[in-house]
């Protein structure tokens, strides 16, 4: 149907970068070279502060710029999660928001997602989990002997496979400069503070 349309512009977007690249860059896919690919940067922290503050004010509630920034920081400016945490904070705020309310909303959100995150973990090998924990911990040189030993990643030859497997599962993102990060900030927090704590 799309092939028969004229004078129409389509915009397909999403946060699953690897999946989208496959759809438009894989020769075997029907949308190969369908259009231009644009990588959008995350919404800036200051823009989130303005947005969250206004949404609270529009409903007669108050929240400080500091707390708006805290919400954005906790969710690493991730659009979906920043809005979700903002909503959970708004729901708990009667008149004036406090740091305790933001913390309660954040912990509740992580708690709600913990079953989903547990299911993700159950689908991974132990080395894939260890690799994700290393990424969450900010490790850059995965092939160093100390890192391989500390995170039980096996040999340096495994790193390429671990990176490929977690990328294909849309669990990590590879940013310019070959920087690897966990795609889901809530999952990253849970990995470091929920999963690791329970695994010890």
């Amino acid at each position: 149907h799309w092939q028969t349309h004229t004078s129409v512009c389509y915009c397909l977007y999403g946060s699953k970068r690897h999946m989208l690249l496959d759809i438009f860059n894989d020769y075997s896919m029907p949308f190969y070279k369908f259009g231009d690919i644009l990588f959008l940067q995350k919404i800036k922290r200051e823009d989130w502060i303005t947005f969250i503050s206004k949404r609270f004010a529009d409903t007669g509630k108050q929240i400080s710029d500091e707390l708006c920034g805290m919400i954005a920081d906790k969710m690493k400016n991730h659009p979906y999660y920043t809005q979700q945490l903002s909503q959970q904070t708004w729901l708990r705020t009667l008149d004036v928001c406090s740091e305790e309310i933001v913390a309660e909303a954040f912990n509740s959100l992580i708690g709600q997602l913990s079953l989903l995150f547990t299911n993700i973990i159950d689908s991974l090998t132990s080395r894939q989990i260890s690799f994700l924990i290393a990424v969450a911990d900010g490790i850059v040189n995965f092939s160093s002997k100390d890192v391989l030993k500390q995170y039980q990643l096996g040999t340096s030859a495994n790193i390429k496979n671990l990176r490929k497997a977690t990328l294909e599962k849309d669990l990590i993102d590879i940013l310019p400069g070959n920087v690897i990060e966990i795609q889901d900030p809530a999952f990253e927090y849970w990995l470091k503070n929920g999963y690791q704590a329970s695994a010890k």
Side-chain angles (χ1 to χ4, degrees):
H1 288 287
W2 285 17
Q3 289 175 332
T4 64
H5 293 176
T6 58
S7 302
V8 179
C9 182
Y10 292 96
C11 178
L12 308 176
Y13 64 95
S15 60
K16 305 285 188 183
R17 187 182 305 203
H18 180 263
M19 185 188 301
L20 289 169
L21 285 174
D22 276 353
I23 291 170
F24 299 111
N25 282 348
D26 187 332
Y27 183 78
S28 66
M29 300 295 272
F31 288 108
Y32 175 69
K33 299 292 184 189
F34 183 77
D36 295 329
I37 295 177
L38 302 173
F39 292 105
L40 302 178
Q41 299 302 313
K42 287 182 179 178
I43 296 171
K44 293 179 181 176
R45 184 179 192 269
E46 52 267 31
D47 293 328
W48 278 122
I49 290 172
T50 302
F51 173 77
I52 296 167
S53 179
K54 184 178 185 309
R55 299 300 291 162
F56 270 70
D58 286 347
T59 57
K61 298 183 182 185
Q62 294 179 32
I63 184 169
S64 68
D65 287 355
E66 181 185 354
L67 293 179
C68 292
M70 181 185 292
I71 290 171
D73 291 342
K74 281 183 173 292
M75 296 287 86
K76 295 192 169 183
N77 298 333
H78 188 288
Y80 173 76
Y81 280 126
T82 301
Q83 290 183 82
Q84 195 172 13
L85 180 55
S86 297
Q87 183 200 40
Q88 291 299 313
T89 301
W90 179 86
L91 288 170
R92 288 170 169 77
T93 301
L94 294 177
D95 298 304
V96 180
C97 185
S98 66
E99 188 172 338
E100 290 74 24
I101 291 173
V102 175
E104 181 188 325
F106 179 75
N107 291 332
S108 175
L109 180 59
I110 298 299
Q112 291 169 32
L113 294 166
S114 62
L115 182 58
L116 170 66
F117 296 155
T118 301
N119 288 337
I120 291 172
I121 287 292
D122 288 344
S123 71
L124 303 174
T125 67
S126 60
R127 282 191 175 153
Q128 287 170 354
I129 295 168
S130 295
F131 177 73
L132 289 174
I133 290 171
V135 173
D137 286 343
I139 298 299
V140 177
N141 184 7
F142 296 94
S143 298
S144 79
K145 287 183 179 179
D146 290 342
V147 169
L148 291 172
K149 182 178 179 182
Q150 180 183 349
Y151 291 93
Q152 299 176 350
L153 298 173
T155 65
S156 57
N158 290 339
I159 300 302
K160 185 177 180 182
N161 292 332
L162 292 170
R163 177 174 143 156
K164 182 173 184 255
T166 51
L167 182 64
E168 287 176 350
K169 291 174 184 286
D170 281 311
L171 296 173
I172 63 168
D173 236 344
I174 300 177
L175 307 177
N178 215 26
V179 175
I180 302 174
E181 73 171 13
I182 303 287
Q183 193 176 93
D184 183 324
F187 180 53
E188 179 179 5
Y189 177 87
W190 180 83
L191 261 181
K192 294 172 72 173
N193 299 279
Y195 174 74
Q196 283 197 82
S198 64
K200 286 178 180 176

